Amino acid sequence: MKYISTRGQAPALSFEEVVLTGLAPDGGLYVPETLPKFTKEEIASWAGLSYQELAFNVMKPFVAGAISDEDFKKIIADAYATFRHDGIAPLVQTAHNEWILELFQGPTLAFKDFALQFLGHLLDHLLKKRNQKVVVMGATSGDTGSAAIEGCRRCDNIDIFIMHPNNRVSNVQRRQMTTVLAPNVFNIALEGNFDDCQNMVKASFGDQSFLPEGRQLVAVNSINWARIMAQIVYYFYAGLALGAPHRPIAFSVPTGNFGDIFAGYLAKQMGLPIDQLVIATNSNDILHRCISSNDHSKHQLQHTLSPSMDIMVSSNFERMLFDLYDRDGNAIRQLMEDFKSGSMTLKESALVRARELFTSHGVSDEVTIDVIREVFDRTEYLLDPHTAIGVDAARKTRRRQDIPMVVLATAHPAKFPEAVRKAGQDADPALPHHMQDLFEREERYTILPQDLAKVQQFVAANVRK
């Protein structure tokens, strides 16, 4: 299988090349040239498979011979060996035909572990085979960073540099990153917001001349295709558990960068009978505004109780636009140029198609707190603020009560004690056993100004020989 750029001016790459490349040289994002399609009978035959067995079946067509079946199965097994729940992605019922898909059972308590544990082991395999050393550079609004560090901390061929917005992630999120003292891990607290961090990463990928000779950047943000690929699996897993492919299913996805819900769109295109995909956003509602009123304009970023969604530039939306515009790279290039100046407008046919595929809803902090409180009062199940946004959006936009609605629980409530306290809990949620001493561990990070040259100097000076 080959992978092509959304902007149409970069060479097609193999799977191995696309994992190690990140952004395409024309500034676009890589997507598969064609999507694998599974028949109803094929999907039905997977009922009862373990998460790992299902992951192999769903992802194998994307790898297309780049890795042997034996090695690929081992990468998958190693990736999910550190998850705390044997079900990997268990479902919990919170109302009639309403389910929470717990995607926080991994080592850093967030859905990012599904992709980044996998990506860490995948990179390790590919780099050892190539005898190559690389630099991972990433930006995080809270959860990607810790999951990427956890996935790469033991990789001999990787130096990892993660930027987070200084004082704009929760204490738990920060400490999950900054208390990893491995020699190949470097945390940068940038004086700016997440979009500033992400812009620095994109600029660095565009010109890598600051790196020592023989090194290249590798992306761990969701611009890396392997991350999207790994996230497709849990849509199939939840669907099969609730009766697919013999009955349709709906998903509500808390999203800021669009990667997680794009994986759901791909699952639908690959044959999973998804009746509804709900884009759930917080007050930084550019995706909701785009779908509901064709307003894809940048507003002032707001800092909310759901900081992992405090994003105004949703990188993965470009992949969706590529399909909405019939894979016209020239059109996408023009749209991205328009957006650089502050806003873009979708053509009518693309907007109609987007509305057929997605419903959307924006949720305020006040409503988020109310939902956490209401669900706990009725079920004694404690939601994190991002998941609460997914629940509210699901309930406000749901089309059919007879179809199971699955809300993706993107993080453990212990990561966001402020929101939980505001919802009336007397104490902070307890951290799982393996993180009980988190606030006693030594921290190590460097505060840097919003200055690309200084960030790149720091990276170049700390790459290990």
Side-chain angles (χ1 to χ4, degrees), residues 7 36 51 75 97 204 206 285 295 317 376 380 459 463:
R7 301 192 190 178
Y51 191 90
I75 288 166
N97 240 357
S204 298
D285 61 351
D295 173 16
F317 196 50
F376 186 81
E380 295 191 15
V459 171
V463 170

Side-chain angles (χ1 to χ4, degrees), residues 165-293:
N166 193 29
N167 296 321
R168 290 179 178 176
V169 299
S170 77
N171 288 334
V172 171
Q173 287 177 311
R174 187 191 75 247
R175 283 184 162 272
Q176 282 185 294
M177 296 185 282
T178 60
T179 58
V180 178
L181 305 181
N184 67 329
V185 172
F186 301 90
N187 281 286
I188 298 168
L190 191 77
E191 298 286 18
N193 60 37
F194 169 74
D195 288 336
D196 298 322
C197 297
Q198 187 160 257
N199 287 337
M200 295 238 178
V201 172
K202 285 184 175 178
S204 298
F205 270 88
D207 180 1
Q208 301 186 24
S209 59
F210 67 95
L211 290 174
E213 189 176 351
R215 293 291 197 277
Q216 72 173 71
L217 289 181
V218 168
V220 292
N221 282 49
S222 53
I223 61 171
N224 191 311
W225 165 254
R227 275 194 54 183
I228 302 294
M229 180 178 86
Q231 290 172 294
I232 297 168
V233 177
Y234 47 69
Y235 286 92
F236 278 92
Y237 190 69
L240 283 160
L242 294 171
H246 307 295
R247 69 189 301 205
I249 191 164
F251 291 93
S252 177
V253 188
T255 190
N257 217 12
F258 205 78
D260 207 7
I261 196 161
F262 184 66
Y265 159 78
L266 293 175
K268 178 182 173 79
Q269 301 306 110
M270 291 163 68
L272 189 66
I274 298 176
D275 179 75
Q276 186 178 7
L277 280 168
V278 182
I279 298 169
T281 74
N282 63 15
S283 301
N284 297 296
D285 61 351
I286 188 168
L287 292 169
H288 169 52
R289 286 187 283 110
C290 182
I291 299 296
S292 60
S293 56

